[in-house]
Amino acid sequence: MLETEIAKPTLLIVDDEPVNLRVLKRLLESEYQLIFAKNGEEAIKLAETRLPNLILLDVMMPGLTGFEVCRHLKQQSNTKHIPIIFVTALNDEHDEAEGFDAGAVDYITKPISPAIVRVRVKTHLSLVQADELLNSRLQVVQRLGKAAEYKDNETGMHVMRMSHFAKELALAYGLTAQQAEILLHAAPMHDIGKIGIADSIMLKPGKLTDEEFSTMKKHPEIGAEIIGDCGDSLLLQVAKSVSLTHHEKWDGTGYPRGLVGEDIPIEGRICAIADVFDALTSKRPYKEAWTIDETVDFLKSQKGKHFEPKLVDLMIEILPKVLEIRAAFKDEE
């Protein structure tokens, strides 16, 4: 597999003037695979069938204009992520604004500068590769979270619910939309360390002995070891933190480190209450589901003990959203 030659990125170049196509061909053909279109209709057809990595698009063409082509492609699910750079003689500020409004990522005016074209193309392809890398990391996190489900009595729907609870709680706490989204994707890794716990303990139907529970309490640190060195990936850093700290308690009686109060990272504090809320309100082979009122009473009783007081208040405040999430991700009967 690794011996397979990596294909060059494909660029779609759209211009109704053959001389402009030839100039861009000479400029870019050594580094990229090139396909060409001479009008908007042909550009749309090629974009939808060939799915190029990037499109260089003229504005003023017979038939569909470049703006119209761009808007069409941005409305289609399979082409909306393709970056589009306008290459045009139109250099009015209004024209440039219209181009960005249509969905373009950049705007190059004619006559073109070879150096500028090369740099802009390379830059936007690098951004695409960065997005692909982030998506790949996200898929790895999701699959590892899925793997943990095979070692647990809990269900995949539990992971979905508690992750969405965590996102809503993060927003209510005042974290940014981006931070909340990262937590949504990191939270499924909270119990990844259970992969390292013996089935005789994980799947035991009755109460664990003190020795067995002591072994079970090692799963946060095992999870952190599985995730390992996170490098520059914020997603994996948060996933590791969630795995390591979601069993810590506000009053310091949690594990594995007995952290107290705000020494527990906010992602761990949020996931702790999201995880417990769903566990209590869900039916399991060893227990019946608690009612919402019973669960809320328990959360209140644990203010300043298991949970940060502010998070308990916020969890109750966002309860309508929490119940919507529960309805959307029901366990299979």
Side-chain angles (χ1 to χ4, degrees):
M1 180 66 72
L2 287 174
E3 293 176 350
T4 302
E5 184 177 350
I6 299 175
K8 295 178 180 178
T10 298
L11 308 186
L12 169 58
I13 301 176
V14 188
D15 200 304
D16 64 312
E17 292 290 339
V19 64
N20 293 332
L21 295 177
R22 287 197 295 271
V23 169
L24 289 170
K25 180 177 184 294
R26 285 197 299 269
L27 184 60
L28 299 167
E29 63 182 348
S30 64
E31 296 182 65
Y32 307 104
Q33 296 186 65
L34 305 179
I35 52 178
F36 303 93
K38 296 180 180 179
N39 58 62
E41 292 81 358
E42 187 179 354
I44 289 173
K45 186 180 297 184
L46 281 173
E48 292 178 341
T49 56
R50 298 288 296 275
L51 298 177
N53 300 98
L54 183 143
I55 299 173
L56 295 172
L57 179 60
D58 188 21
V59 174
M60 301 306 295
M61 297 181 293
L64 295 176
T65 68
F67 295 143
E68 291 170 325
V69 171
C70 185
R71 289 192 182 94
H72 175 87
L73 294 177
K74 292 302 174 182
Q75 292 172 357
Q76 310 306 311
S77 60
N78 62 333
T79 57
K80 65 181 180 181
H81 300 300
I82 301 173
I84 296 174
I85 300 175
F86 282 119
V87 184
T88 177
L90 298 176
N91 57 9
D92 184 84
E93 186 175 316
H94 172 76
D95 296 318
E96 188 169 343
E98 185 174 357
F100 287 122
D101 183 64
V105 296
D106 214 335
Y107 203 94
I108 300 173
T109 57
K110 298 176 183 176
I112 65 170
S113 161
I116 288 177
V117 172
R118 288 194 186 97
V119 168
R120 301 281 179 84
V121 168
K122 185 175 181 180
T123 296
H124 289 292
L125 286 175
S126 295
L127 292 174
V128 170
Q129 290 171 344
D131 286 341
E132 290 174 348
L133 179 58
L134 179 59
N135 288 334
S136 295
R137 285 173 171 169
L138 178 56
Q139 289 179 30
V140 169
V141 168
Q142 291 170 338
R143 281 159 174 73
L144 282 173
K146 185 74 174 176
E149 295 169 24
Y150 289 95
K151 291 281 290 186
D152 206 340
N153 284 314
E154 294 173 340
T155 69
M157 290 298 102
H158 163 71
V159 170
M160 295 295 292
R161 287 190 299 265
M162 69 82 61
S163 299
H164 281 83
F165 295 166
K167 176 185 176 180
E168 294 298 333
L169 202 48
L171 291 171
Y173 197 85
L175 300 187
T176 67
Q178 182 182 21
Q179 290 169 325
E181 192 71 16
I182 289 172
L183 185 56
L184 169 69
H185 296 304
M189 293 283 282
H190 69 288
D191 274 338
I192 185 63
K194 289 181 177 178
I195 289 175
I197 304 298
D199 287 350
S200 58
I201 296 175
M202 283 300 310
L203 304 179
K204 184 177 179 179
K207 184 178 179 180
L208 299 180
T209 66
D210 289 344
E211 183 179 356
E212 288 169 336
F213 186 59
S214 178
T215 298
M216 175 68 84
K217 287 167 65 175
K218 295 178 182 178
H219 80 267
E221 292 173 308
I222 295 173
E225 290 177 8
I226 289 173
I227 297 171
D229 182 11
C230 306
D232 61 352
S233 171
L234 180 58
L235 173 62
L236 291 178
Q237 290 171 16
V238 174
K240 184 174 183 177
S241 177
V242 166
S243 173
L244 190 59
T245 64
H246 72 285
H247 281 296
E248 299 288 356
K249 295 183 179 181
W250 185 255
D251 64 3
T253 61
Y255 63 89
R257 297 179 177 176
L259 299 178
V260 179
E262 292 186 356
D263 288 341
I264 308 168
I266 183 58
E267 56 269 17
R269 292 168 3 228
I270 289 174
C271 285
I273 192 168
D275 188 29
V276 169
F277 184 94
D278 190 68
L280 292 178
T281 55
S282 300
K283 184 178 180 179
R284 293 290 178 265
Y286 51 86
K287 64 175 274 295
E288 291 298 319
W290 288 25
T291 67
I292 298 299
D293 287 343
E294 288 172 333
T295 304
V296 168
D297 287 343
F298 176 78
L299 296 186
K300 289 178 179 178
S301 74
Q302 292 298 307
K303 287 178 68 171
K305 298 177 182 178
H306 191 156
F307 308 117
E308 177 181 355
K310 179 179 177 179
L311 284 172
V312 173
D313 293 339
L314 290 173
M315 191 70 177
I316 296 170
E317 185 179 307
I318 66 169
L319 197 56
K321 290 183 179 178
V322 168
L323 297 181
E324 288 178 8
I325 292 167
R326 282 180 50 78
F329 298 103
K330 292 181 179 179
D331 288 322
E332 294 180 5
E333 296 295 335

